[in-house]
Structure formats: structure tokens, C-alpha cells
């Protein structure tokens, strides 16, 4: 799996309507009187914060976590990573997206696809955590 860091968004996000009713997976007909408020996706995901950035995922090692090749993930570098978090990191300068597992004195980077083995961080390896994945976004036209 590889990643492409896209960086922060530029100014000028558009606010979209948020409807107050739950939408079934059918063909709803949203009416204007059901609009609760207008929201900005960059505000919802806190994307304009200086500690948040976007990464494009390439590869299928995180499919079990719902992160597919071509997805964008919203990464927060201000969050202290804990065991179980999905992180963007570099292991020996190789960028990756994995689930962080801390066990006693061991650090393990886990894929969410059984085709890929766990990566045990060994003495002498350099691991740099770039941030914790908070959200993922998928383009369903290209899935």
C-alpha cells in the first residue's frame, strides 16, 4: 500500500444542506422544509485546521477497515496515537497506512486484509507516526 499526501484544503468551501430526517438507501425526495441547517464538509471534518491534512490511499491492505484504494483519508496529526488507531506512518522512510497495535514492548503495524502479514517494528527500525486517520471518503463512481 502506498499513500499520496494531498495536504490541506484551500479556502472557499461550499456549505451543503443537512436534512433533519434519516435517508433510506432508496430514492428520497428531500423537501426544503426538512433542511436542518447548512454545513460545510471541511468544517465537519475539521479540514481547515493546521494539524489536519488529506492523504490518498493506494492499495488494498486496509479493506477490512473500509479503506479502499483511491479513498481519501482525513488525518489529524494532533491526536496522540493509541493502540487500535489507524495511522499514517513511515517505517524506515516507507509511507504506509496501518492499524497500530501496541503490546507490552512491541509495536506492530497491522493490515486489515488477511493477504498482508503484520509488520513488527524491530530494534533499529525507524517508525514515525504522521497522524491518526479520523475519516475516509470514497468516490463511488470509480469503485
Amino acid at each position: 500500500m502506498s499513500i499520496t499526501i494531498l495536504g490541506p484544503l484551500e479556502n472557499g468551501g461550499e456549505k451543503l444542506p443537512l436534512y433533519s430526517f434519516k435517508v433510506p438507501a432508496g430514492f428520497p425526495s428531500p423537501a426544503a422544509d426538512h433542511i436542518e441547517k447548512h454545513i460545510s464538509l471541511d468544517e465537519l471534518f475539521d479540514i481547515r485546521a493546521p494539524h489536519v491534512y488529506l492523504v490518498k490511499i493506494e492499495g488494498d491492505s486496509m479493506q477490512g477497515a473500509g479503506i479502499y484504494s483511491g479513498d481519501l483519508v482525513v488525518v489529524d496529526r494532533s491526536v496522540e496515537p493509541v493502540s487500535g488507531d489507524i495511522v499514517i506512518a513511515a517505517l524506515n522512510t516507507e509511507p504506509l497506512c496501518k492499524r497500530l497495535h501496541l503490546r507490552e514492548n512491541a509495536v506492530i503495524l497491522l493490515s486489515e486484509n488477511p493477504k498482508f502479514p503484520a509488520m513488527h517494528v524491530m530494534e533499529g527500525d525507524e517508525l514515525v507516526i504522521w497522524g491518526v486517520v479520523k475519516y475516509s471518503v470514497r468516490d463511488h463512481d470509480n469503485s
Side-chain angles (χ1 to χ4, degrees):
M1 169 174 282
S2 64
I3 62 171
T4 303
I5 297 175
L6 301 176
L9 291 182
E10 302 238 349
N11 288 332
E14 182 177 339
K15 293 198 179 229
L16 303 172
L18 173 67
Y19 293 94
S20 62
F21 58 88
K22 296 187 183 199
V23 178
F27 295 99
S29 177
D33 58 340
H34 289 285
I35 294 176
E36 185 175 320
K37 63 180 178 177
H38 283 78
I39 62 168
S40 166
L41 292 179
D42 55 331
E43 289 174 13
L44 179 67
F45 296 144
D46 202 22
I47 292 174
R48 299 232 187 262
H51 55 275
V52 174
Y53 62 98
L54 300 174
V55 173
K56 185 172 186 176
I57 301 296
E58 297 172 21
D60 58 357
S61 71
M62 294 303 289
Q63 287 181 348
I67 300 173
Y68 295 86
S69 190
D71 285 359
L72 292 177
V73 293
V74 179
V75 181
D76 189 335
R77 64 177 181 237
S78 73
V79 174
E80 187 69 32
V82 297
S83 191
D85 282 346
I86 296 173
V87 297
I88 299 297
L91 179 60
N92 300 322
T93 70
E94 182 70 30
L96 46 80
C97 178
K98 299 291 178 203
R99 188 170 301 277
L100 179 66
H101 184 71
L102 305 172
R103 184 176 57 201
E104 296 173 15
N105 293 333
V107 177
I108 306 167
L109 300 171
L110 300 172
S111 296
E112 293 283 342
N113 184 332
K115 295 180 188 175
F116 298 89
M119 303 172 79
H120 295 264
V121 179
M122 308 302 282
E123 187 175 332
D125 283 341
E126 180 184 8
L127 176 65
V128 179
I129 307 280
W130 291 344
V132 175
V133 173
K134 301 303 288 180
Y135 305 98
S136 63
V137 181
R138 179 169 307 114
D139 179 354
H140 290 277
D141 282 343
N142 296 321
S143 47

